[in-house]
Amino acid sequence: VQLQASGGGLVQAGGSLRLSCAASRGTSASRVLHMSWFRQAPGKERDVVATISRNAGTTDYADSVKGRFAISRDNADTLYLQMNNLKPGDTAVYYCAWRLLGRSGYDWWGQGTQVTVSS
């Protein structure tokens, strides 16, 4: 399985970006429990930003992005992250990941997409 993340770029503070994450053709998401976005800034650990339950559709966000970011997915299991009112502190490489049923960690990861927010 390959996850392909896209949509990153350079934006000024206060701007918006929309990230997308699509699985390789023919991938079944029937065993996926959670779909998430993580980010990793230089010199920092990779942290979860937002998570959506594939079946229930419930969402969860890191405190730092609540009210500014929105995670969603479509019927083709493409994952999105709408990022509004971006801040320089949001600068990082963003990764999408899928967690399978019965697993404690994330098994499938995208390659990452760079988001840079200038002040």
Side-chain angles (χ1 to χ4, degrees):
V1 173
Q2 285 187 322
L3 300 180
Q4 182 73 33
S6 61
L10 173 63
V11 64
Q12 288 188 332
S16 298
L17 284 173
R18 188 191 195 204
L19 306 183
S20 300
C21 175
S24 50
R25 199 170 195 172
T27 298
S28 171
S30 62
R31 295 185 296 126
V32 176
L33 177 63
H34 291 142
M35 297 176 168
S36 297
W37 286 98
F38 290 75
R39 68 184 181 187
Q40 187 168 21
K44 296 188 177 181
E45 293 185 352
R46 187 177 299 187
D47 293 322
V48 62
V49 174
T51 298
I52 185 167
S53 167
R54 181 182 180 271
N55 292 330
T58 54
T59 58
D60 191 37
Y61 297 91
D63 288 343
S64 59
V65 306
K66 282 181 181 176
R68 300 188 297 122
F69 290 12
I71 189 171
S72 63
R73 69 166 186 89
D74 62 19
N75 290 336
D77 288 312
T78 298
L79 183 67
Y80 301 98
L81 185 68
Q82 178 66 43
M83 304 186 294
N84 298 325
N85 190 21
L86 283 160
K87 304 176 180 181
D90 295 319
T91 295
V93 177
Y94 284 71
Y95 300 88
C96 55
W98 288 5
R99 177 186 170 193
L100 302 180
L101 288 165
R103 304 280 290 177
S104 58
Y106 285 80
D107 297 273
W108 299 338
W109 290 84
Q111 85 288 2
T113 184
Q114 176 71 46
V115 171
T116 303
V117 184
S118 63
S119 57

